[in-house]
Amino acid sequence: MTQRFTNIAEVLADLQAKVQSKPLEKQKKPEKPGEDEYECPICKDTEFVYYKQKSTNGLLYEFSKPCECRERKAWKRRFKQSMIPDEFLNANFENYQRVTQSQKVMYQMTLDYLNEFSVVEEEDGTKKKVLSQANFGLIAVFGEQRLKELPVGERAMVKQQHNNFGIGKTHLQIALSKRLIKDGFNVLVVSDVTFMDELIQAKMMNDEGETLNRLLKSAITADVLIWDDIGKAKWSEAKETLYYQIINERYRKQRPIVFNSNEDRGTLADKIGFAAASRLLGQCGDFLLETEGEDWRLKKKGAV
């Protein structure tokens, strides 16, 4: 028979009675994690191994030392924080195609630039990271913006003569970033269009500049900033200001920028501003290469 209630008080009283009439289930204590639940069973994921040792006066002291997994986990953290694009996760020096002369020159220059970095062990056992004092840039001989300004009928021929797309610039610089990460350097990889859009959106947010400052800080303070396809974003005065802010701060702090672009010296300056381009290109020294060649992305798809 269905029970009927005349008011809400009776409903609540009935529910309370039902709850009190049911026996409470005993809660199980959480089990202690087994050895197989830790990534590293030696240190139990603390990254330190603790041990005790008696001194000459018989007192027992506790010491710790870094676990063998510490550097491996640190490498994984740096790799994750670098923001390497998914399509380049497998890019390395070993699988870079070196068929044409331009590919060989780019490859050798990248290796020469890698030698500009080192990790020096100090007398106290700490390690000091030595950064290159130069930027490293791979840019076009004939920029994309210049190509777009040509009459439509001339573009295809000029692009074929001075192609800068799909020649392996990004592949090489991602391979460089992986080697630097492995050596202990903090690397940040940004793609120009996405990065500039994020900065502009952050600039418009009503959060007292918190998001914008966080993005700028990550780009300015990284040991090495890998800037892919710089100058690709559509120009605006706000973006030009941001380009200058990042490039100038890294210039002042002597932190290198590794960049590639489908623009040439002149058109890159048009896209990011003359002051920013002067600092970016001027700090390259011998590590600025104007390059062109066959589009290997099209070749893989059978388009050429």
Side-chain angles (χ1 to χ4, degrees), residues 10-220:
E10 291 182 5
V11 175
L12 294 175
D14 181 68
L15 288 173
Q16 186 176 6
K18 288 180 179 178
V19 169
Q20 291 176 346
S21 65
K22 289 185 178 180
L24 294 174
E25 295 183 3
K26 293 182 179 180
Q27 294 184 350
K28 294 182 179 180
K29 293 182 179 181
E31 296 180 0
K32 186 178 179 180
E35 294 295 317
D36 58 343
E37 294 183 41
Y38 294 108
E39 185 179 338
C40 178
I42 298 174
C43 67
K44 294 182 173 58
D45 295 340
T46 63
E47 298 186 16
F48 285 92
V49 178
Y50 298 90
Y51 61 97
K52 294 180 180 180
Q53 185 174 326
K54 275 189 177 182
S55 64
T56 53
N57 57 9
L59 295 176
L60 191 65
Y61 291 91
E62 188 174 85
F63 298 89
S64 67
K65 63 179 180 180
C67 182
E68 58 185 24
C69 74
R70 182 175 171 80
E71 180 53 37
R72 183 177 70 255
K73 289 182 178 178
W75 184 89
K76 286 183 178 180
R77 285 192 293 270
R78 291 194 299 270
F79 187 84
K80 184 177 181 181
Q81 293 166 358
S82 70
M83 297 175 64
I84 292 175
D86 291 343
E87 63 266 34
F88 290 102
L89 289 178
N90 296 320
N92 54 54
F93 287 117
E94 289 72 26
N95 60 21
Y96 177 72
Q97 296 288 333
R98 301 189 297 279
V99 178
T100 66
Q101 182 60 26
S102 63
Q103 288 174 325
K104 294 175 183 177
V105 173
M106 285 194 298
Y107 177 82
Q108 188 57 52
M109 181 173 284
T110 307
L111 291 183
D112 291 342
Y113 185 71
L114 179 61
N115 292 331
E116 294 280 303
F117 295 82
S118 60
V119 179
V120 179
E121 188 166 344
E122 303 281 53
E123 293 182 359
D124 60 358
T126 60
K127 293 183 178 179
K128 178 183 177 182
K129 293 179 288 188
V130 180
L131 303 174
S132 171
Q133 297 301 298
N135 291 339
F136 173 33
L138 299 172
I139 63 175
V141 174
F142 195 93
E144 182 179 4
Q145 186 63 36
R146 203 180 304 280
L147 186 67
K148 290 179 179 178
E149 293 170 355
L150 291 174
V152 176
E154 297 179 18
R155 293 177 190 173
M157 182 184 67
V158 175
K159 180 185 179 300
Q160 189 173 7
Q161 292 174 343
H162 300 291
N163 177 67
N164 188 248
F165 302 91
I167 61 175
K169 303 186 299 297
T170 303
H171 183 122
L172 273 176
Q173 293 186 337
I174 294 298
L176 171 69
S177 73
K178 289 180 179 179
R179 191 70 64 85
L180 290 173
I181 291 169
K182 186 176 180 181
D183 290 342
F185 295 92
N186 296 316
V187 178
L188 177 65
V189 180
V190 297
S191 180
D192 189 67
V193 173
T194 303
F195 183 50
M196 297 310 294
D197 284 347
E198 288 176 347
L199 290 175
I200 293 298
Q201 290 172 12
K203 194 177 178 69
M204 297 169 63
M205 291 177 65
N206 187 23
D207 64 351
E208 299 182 346
E210 182 179 345
T211 303
L212 178 62
N213 290 332
R214 176 174 52 80
L215 291 172
L216 289 173
K217 183 179 179 181
S218 64
I220 291 169

